[in-house]
Amino acid sequence: MGESFKGRLVAGCVILGVILALLVAGCGGQKEPAATSPAKGQVEVIRLPGGDWGYPTPYAHYSRGPGYYKMNLVFDSLLEKDEKGLIPWLAEKWEITPDGKTYTFCLRQGVKWHDGQPFTAKDVAFTLDYACRFPPVWGFDASIIQKVEVLDPHKVKVELTQPMATFLEKMSKLAIIPEHIWKEVNDPYNFTKPEAVIGTGPYKLTAYSKEHGTYKFEANPDFWGPTPRVKTLEFIPVSNELEKWGSARGL
């Protein structure tokens, strides 16, 4: 799923890089699974070293460590990155005016939030406005944005105060959140209710223990994109390096 999942810590890079390469069909690379489904060739469960890295929302994960990458299993951005650069994600295409100050994003249709509500341009506009008021943990400088206009349910226009060569790069790191859930939330940094982890991403958070540092993510059957190759991801704390290696291999 590209550079948005690159690790902040070397160990995190190695482990998450290997497992995330397996998340979607056609991404290449094979790994010995804990269990497989012969019908679909999917890995049933993969267990990885755990530890508490915060609640996986754009506002409640920890600023250090792999919390951001767990959040990215649940939430999508408008663009992503692969080895060649920026690629369409929630936005199928985009246009930039010659002066470099206005971006129009054409959004993917048929995308739904985990609760079944439709994803629309209003969610994008809301996310940008919300980021102006409440900067997410993975910093996004929204001061460059002058105006956001919803043109239709699947098209949004963003006007900048001045040209910014890295604007699309920044948008690839901004997780889009659902307006219908977050519009009444005035303290996003402490918003850890179950509905806080409703995204459009390939996985749903189905279990989390701050005390034990455990996470369980299950594949979203209604994900708009490639079918996740791993059905269930479990992060479980282990006590030594040998256990970590066996856990990562599903042993």
Side-chain angles (χ1 to χ4, degrees):
M1 287 192 174
E3 189 175 301
S4 63
F5 290 107
K6 65 184 178 182
R8 282 185 170 182
L9 300 176
V10 174
C13 278
V14 174
I15 294 172
L16 288 174
V18 171
I19 184 59
L20 289 169
L22 290 169
L23 293 184
V24 294
C27 285
Q30 297 291 330
K31 182 176 180 64
E32 180 182 347
T36 60
S37 168
K40 296 184 178 181
Q42 285 185 313
V43 176
E44 292 285 349
V45 180
I46 284 185
R47 299 178 180 87
L48 295 171
D52 180 41
W53 297 105
Y55 204 55
T57 79
Y59 291 92
H61 68 81
Y62 299 160
S63 59
R64 68 186 190 283
Y68 173 79
Y69 313 105
K70 290 180 172 64
M71 181 272 293
N72 255 329
L73 296 171
V74 177
F75 293 90
D76 288 322
S77 53
L78 291 185
L79 299 84
E80 269 290 350
K81 292 190 73 174
D82 64 10
E83 66 279 2
K84 295 181 180 180
L86 293 169
I87 59 174
W89 208 243
L90 285 178
E92 287 189 306
K93 59 183 180 179
W94 51 91
E95 298 175 353
I96 309 172
T97 54
D99 64 3
K101 293 175 61 176
T102 303
Y103 293 73
T104 301
F105 296 95
C106 298
L107 307 180
R108 196 175 299 278
Q109 299 189 33
V111 178
K112 292 185 178 181
W113 297 100
H114 292 164
D115 62 0
Q117 294 293 313
F119 159 74
T120 73
K122 288 184 177 181
D123 295 307
V124 177
F126 171 80
T127 298
L128 289 169
D129 176 70
Y130 202 80
C132 288
R133 294 183 289 137
F134 305 104
V137 174
W138 192 272
F140 179 80
D141 182 8
S143 64
I144 191 69
I145 297 175
Q146 178 171 289
K147 181 181 178 182
V148 180
E149 182 180 356
V150 174
L151 301 180
D152 66 38
H154 300 100
K155 186 178 292 186
V156 60
K157 182 169 70 174
V158 182
E159 296 181 13
L160 307 184
T161 57
Q162 62 187 36
M164 174 181 278
T166 59
F167 180 67
L168 290 178
E169 176 86 18
K170 293 180 182 297
M171 290 300 293
S172 74
K173 295 180 173 66
L174 179 67
I176 305 301
I177 57 176
E179 179 184 22
H180 67 280
I181 289 175
W182 291 80
K183 62 183 178 181
E184 302 297 334
V185 177
N186 294 312
D187 183 10
Y189 307 102
N190 291 298
F191 181 41
T192 56
K193 293 182 179 180
E195 57 266 34
V197 285
I198 288 177
T200 58
Y203 284 87
K204 297 180 178 183
L205 179 72
T206 56
Y208 165 69
S209 170
K210 179 179 178 65
E211 179 183 2
H212 297 103
T214 57
Y215 297 80
K216 183 177 182 180
F217 297 90
E218 296 187 25
N220 173 15
D222 299 316
F223 181 51
W224 58 267
T227 301
R229 191 176 285 182
V230 181
K231 288 187 175 181
T232 303
L233 284 169
E234 295 181 355
F235 293 84
I236 304 171
V238 291
S239 59
N240 60 54
E241 293 300 320
L242 183 60
E243 286 183 79
K244 289 182 181 180
W245 175 245
S247 177
R249 290 179 61 83
L251 301 178

